[in-house]
Amino acid sequence: MKNMFFILCISFLTACANTHSFIRNSPVEIISLNPKGSVFVAIPDDGAYGNRRYEGSGRNASQIICSAFLKHCRSVQKANTRETFEESMRSATKGGHKYLVFPTILHWEDRSTEWSGKPDRVEVKIDLVDINSGESLDSVIVKGKSGLATFGGDHPQDLLQIPIEEFVASLYEASHAQN
């Protein structure tokens, strides 16, 4: 009986756990961004799932990315409006920034998990570009999936913070080791 209770507790806790990861699209050299380099973060189109569009999800994703970069560098600016990649490059250049962060929402699914048994899911591609050379420094896909026992509080944007912070920290690790 004790074993059955233990297994049920473990199963419940596992169902509560959110999962997250970031996957680099291609193997890259170790990147070490300069903490003094200013970052410009674009706003992606809002996410959608089926016919449902999640208004404000692009701004939410962009704000989470800005917050992660602010922990590692002095200057971060978020775009005011949604722009194409080329428009974002021009805005970043005009603003004197060193790096462009260009996110794209690939999947955004906000479910009533506690009722439907279907988890929230999110996938955001993040491209990091050197403004001067126009060269892509890194490209990742950040993924998150909620646990099944969310108690009504989780949303896709809640699944982004940890993997985005891990990704951004990895961009500055070598420069912190040198200091």
Side-chain angles (χ1 to χ4, degrees):
M1 189 65 169
K2 285 182 182 181
N3 287 339
M4 182 62 100
F5 179 73
F6 179 73
I7 290 171
L8 282 174
C9 287
I10 294 297
S11 297
F12 180 74
L13 291 174
T14 302
C16 293
N18 293 337
T19 59
H20 61 272
S21 62
F22 71 88
I23 302 151
R24 286 200 155 88
N25 290 331
S26 59
V28 293
E29 301 172 17
I30 295 175
I31 296 172
S32 179
L33 297 185
N34 182 346
K36 295 177 184 176
S38 179
V39 176
F40 183 81
V41 179
I43 298 174
D45 287 334
D46 286 333
Y49 181 71
N51 294 330
R52 177 140 189 226
R53 185 164 218 63
Y54 294 99
E55 197 69 35
S57 57
R59 286 194 180 277
N60 285 339
S62 172
Q63 185 57 52
I64 291 165
I65 293 167
C66 285
S67 296
F69 272 95
L70 277 170
K71 293 178 181 178
H72 301 278
C73 66
R74 291 184 189 160
S75 177
V76 177
Q77 181 184 350
K78 182 174 72 167
N80 293 321
T81 61
R82 167 69 181 108
E83 298 176 325
T84 65
F85 179 79
E86 291 76 17
E87 291 168 333
S88 295
M89 283 291 286
R90 283 193 293 273
S91 294
T93 301
K94 184 178 176 183
H97 302 285
K98 178 151 179 61
Y99 307 109
L100 167 64
V101 177
F102 193 81
T104 305
I105 296 176
L106 303 174
H107 189 89
W108 195 279
E109 187 176 351
D110 193 359
R111 299 293 197 141
S112 298
T113 303
E114 59 282 356
W115 307 113
S116 69
K118 296 179 181 177
D120 296 332
R121 295 178 188 269
V122 66
E123 278 186 40
V124 177
K125 180 181 179 193
I126 302 173
D127 290 306
L128 175 67
V129 179
D130 181 286
I131 296 299
N132 294 330
S133 68
E135 180 183 333
S136 177
L137 299 175
D138 206 348
S139 179
V140 300
I141 295 178
V142 174
K143 294 182 176 191
K145 177 180 154 188
S146 70
L148 296 178
T150 65
F151 305 110
D154 286 350
H155 301 285
Q157 63 267 22
D158 301 330
L159 304 170
L160 290 174
Q161 183 178 352
I162 292 172
I164 288 175
E165 286 182 358
E166 288 174 355
F167 164 63
V168 172
S170 76
L171 298 172
Y172 290 93
E173 284 175 354
S175 66
H176 289 308
Q178 293 171 358
N179 293 335

